[in-house]
Amino acid sequence: MRYPKMKWLAPIVGAVVLALASTAMAANVELSFYYPVAVGGPITKIIDGYAADFEKENPSIKVKAIYAGTYQDTLVKALTAFKSGEPPDIAVLLSTDMFTLIDEDAVMPFDGLLKSEADKSWAKGFYPAFMENSQTGGKTWGIPFQRSTIVMYWNKDAFKAAGLNPDKAPDTWDELVTDGRKLTKRDGNNVSQWGVQIPSTGFPYWLFQGITTANKVRLMNQAGTETYFDKPAVIEALQYWVDLSRKEKIHPPGVVEWGTTPKDFFERKTAIMWTTTGNLTNVKANAPFPFGVAMLPAHTGRGSPTGGGNFYFFKKMSAEKSAAALKFVKWMTTPERAADWGIKTGYVAVRPDAWETPVMKKYVADFPPAAVARDQLKYSVAELSTHENQRVTKALNDGLQAALNGTKTPEQAMKDAQQEAARILRSYNK
């Protein structure tokens, strides 16, 4: 029996074969994703869960999360991999690493990848305060993800015991001093409870910005080419920080450790602490007393620097990988995911529409402190970020610690820091 020739079938078969081949090729898209945390712990479980959920919804894309240590470790490893010719595709690095990554020619701006109106609308949907450390030169280099501000936590039991209103935090510099005197428990030279504790290791410049912002002064320009460490308002802010310890004696002397500050708070060694809102979930889970969360105290102004990490895309990605990477980052920053991430970690949900989701509305209704960092964003400024950022930041950190340790006056410390920063940035101002 002879069968009729079915020439009409050939194009269909060819199309099917081509589609299957494309699908097979697409299924091999693997994105390497550097994330700044040591292996293990709750954060890695959350990230792994997100990656798995994304892969279920996008079976053609695999996301390989690589946990690279601290932010600094992750930056070094990412740049080393880039220089060796095998960069990560995506990395979460500090928003303040933007100029360093641009100067190394390691990352690409997102703008060229935003083809559709939906893409462009998504990119415009983040809080403006977070975009200050994500854009420069008219281009968007980072997409906000785990972002934060500094907030003030207080022990309500300690306030009550000191005769203060447990539901009202100090709202100004003067009130912080007044309340701090009542909260400090001193027996001779021994202090069992300090009024306030502001860390000065790890990120001293960042905590310092919580004071300078309240004094209506910025530490750098938007282009990252100039710093203003020796402005009178900056020196006044540092004098205030120094005075909390040396004059008012309501703050531990010398340098205060970033890492142990939450523990000191839990152990009632300090009644008030300043730290990242990223610690909110930790405090909620571990504080053995009722606590409050407030914006930083005001002076001539109010506010906090933003902080935390952005998504960056490294160069040398294929067009196929770039499209997959954009899909992943958009997925990770949907209103629902941003809300979930904020609730699970304490970071600020980076988009206003995340706060309109039912789950976030319920969370804030049940736990109002969650909204404090969001509300502070309208007063917030960009975290210190310049070209040669690590060297410039070190100059400021060294000055701050010299003043807090008493080896330099605040004025001399800031003048020296400014002189060093200006020297480092000289080539960017020609």
Side-chain angles (χ1 to χ4, degrees), residues 152-170 179 182-183 265 271-272 289-294 369:
M152 182 167 58
Y153 299 80
W154 81 93
N155 177 339
K156 292 189 175 184
D157 284 350
F159 270 59
K160 191 173 181 180
L164 296 168
N165 182 347
D167 295 318
K168 185 183 181 303
D179 289 358
K182 295 178 181 178
L183 291 162
F265 185 64
I272 297 171
F289 45 73
F291 69 93
V293 181

Side-chain angles (χ1 to χ4, degrees), residues 5 12 14-15 47 50 57 66 97 114 122 125 141 149 151 163 167 181 185 191 193 204 211 226 237 242 263 297 349:
K5 292 182 180 180
I12 296 175
I47 294 293
Y50 286 160
E57 294 181 28
I66 300 164
D97 289 329
L114 306 175
W122 161 77
W141 298 90
T149 65
V151 291
D167 295 318
R181 289 170 183 157
K185 292 183 177 179
V191 177
Q193 176 180 281
I211 308 175
E226 294 179 357
V242 169
K263 184 172 179 285

Side-chain angles (χ1 to χ4, degrees), residues 7-328:
K7 293 182 179 180
W8 56 271
L9 191 58
I12 296 175
V13 171
V16 170
V17 170
L18 185 61
L20 289 173
S22 298
T23 300
M25 188 180 297
N28 293 326
V29 174
E30 180 176 286
L31 300 172
S32 58
F33 172 33
Y34 277 34
Y35 185 80
V37 73
V39 176
I43 293 289
T44 59
K45 291 178 182 176
I46 298 170
I47 294 293
D48 285 342
Y50 286 160
D53 289 344
F54 174 78
E55 289 173 357
K56 285 177 187 174
E57 294 181 28
N58 301 273
S60 63
I61 305 170
K62 179 174 175 56
V63 179
K64 183 181 179 183
I66 300 164
Y67 299 110
T70 64
Y71 275 119
Q72 178 59 28
D73 293 338
T74 306
L75 176 64
V76 171
K77 290 175 182 177
L79 287 176
T80 300
F82 172 74
K83 290 173 183 177
S84 71
E86 296 184 356
D89 299 311
I90 309 168
V92 169
L93 299 166
L94 286 172
S95 62
T96 54
D97 289 329
M98 178 176 66
F99 288 110
T100 298
L101 293 165
I102 293 170
D103 291 343
E104 292 285 349
D105 197 28
V107 294
M108 65 174 78
F110 282 79
D111 310 83
L113 302 174
L114 306 175
K115 306 295 186 184
S116 69
E117 287 305 312
D119 288 345
K120 294 172 184 176
S121 177
W122 161 77
K124 292 176 182 176
F126 297 90
Y127 279 107
F130 291 141
M131 297 310 292
E132 282 195 35
N133 273 127
S134 306
Q135 296 173 320
T136 190
K139 295 180 180 179
T140 300
W141 298 90
I143 295 297
F145 176 55
Q146 54 186 50
R147 299 300 301 272
S148 59
T149 65
I150 306 165
V151 291
M152 182 167 58
Y153 299 80
W154 81 93
N155 177 339
K156 292 189 175 184
D157 284 350
F159 270 59
K160 191 173 181 180
L164 296 168
N165 182 347
D167 295 318
K168 185 183 181 303
D171 191 54
T172 65
W173 282 11
D174 289 344
E175 287 181 12
L176 182 63
V177 170
T178 301
D179 289 358
R181 289 170 183 157
K182 295 178 181 178
L183 291 162
T184 301
K185 292 183 177 179
R186 180 177 281 103
D187 182 9
N189 292 326
N190 297 318
V191 177
S192 59
Q193 176 180 281
W194 292 102
V196 60
Q197 192 162 306
I198 303 172
S200 46
T201 68
F203 310 94
Y205 72 91
W206 192 52
L207 277 296
F208 182 50
Q209 277 191 274
I211 308 175
T212 56
T213 304
N215 213 27
K216 274 192 174 177
V217 62
R218 294 199 177 212
L219 296 182
M220 76 291 178
N221 66 352
Q222 191 172 9
T225 58
E226 294 179 357
T227 58
Y228 311 121
F229 301 159
D230 60 350
K231 279 194 170 185
V234 175
I235 295 169
E236 182 187 11
L238 181 53
Q239 186 67 61
Y240 176 77
W241 194 0
V242 169
D243 284 349
L244 291 178
S245 168
R246 294 185 172 273
K247 180 182 175 184
E248 307 297 344
K249 303 189 184 303
I250 62 173
H251 184 285
V255 170
V256 172
E257 292 294 327
W258 165 269
T260 60
T261 293
K263 184 172 179 285
D264 290 344
F265 185 64
F266 300 153
E267 294 178 354
R268 299 179 174 84
K269 292 178 181 176
T270 184
I272 297 171
M273 71 167 173
W274 291 21
T275 189
T276 171
T277 185
N279 260 323
L280 181 59
T281 301
N282 174 37
V283 176
K284 186 172 183 279
N286 294 299
F289 45 73
F291 69 93
V293 181
M295 296 186 201
L296 298 184
H299 190 50
T300 56
R302 178 184 289 285
S304 162
T306 60
N310 283 344
F311 284 112
Y312 293 96
F313 282 5
F314 275 70
K315 287 188 171 180
K316 301 182 182 177
M317 269 198 290
S318 66
E320 186 181 35
K321 275 197 170 188
S322 296
L326 182 64
K327 194 169 196 177
F328 175 65

Side-chain angles (χ1 to χ4, degrees), residues 349-417:
V350 291
R351 305 173 59 87
D353 50 12
W355 294 89
E356 297 303 317
T357 59
V359 65
M360 183 59 91
K361 283 185 172 181
K362 184 179 186 307
Y363 183 63
V364 171
D366 295 340
F367 185 52
V372 171
R374 175 202 65 187
D375 295 343
Q376 191 169 236
L377 284 176
K378 61 176 169 273
Y379 308 111
S380 294
V381 300
E383 183 177 359
L384 174 63
S385 179
T386 66
H387 294 279
E388 302 285 348
N389 193 57
Q390 293 188 17
R391 295 171 66 201
V392 170
T393 298
K394 183 179 184 302
L396 178 56
N397 285 343
D398 288 349
L400 295 174
Q401 292 185 347
L404 292 166
N405 279 324
T407 57
K408 290 183 181 179
T409 66
E411 182 177 10
Q412 190 60 54
M414 289 300 91
K415 285 185 175 179
D416 290 349

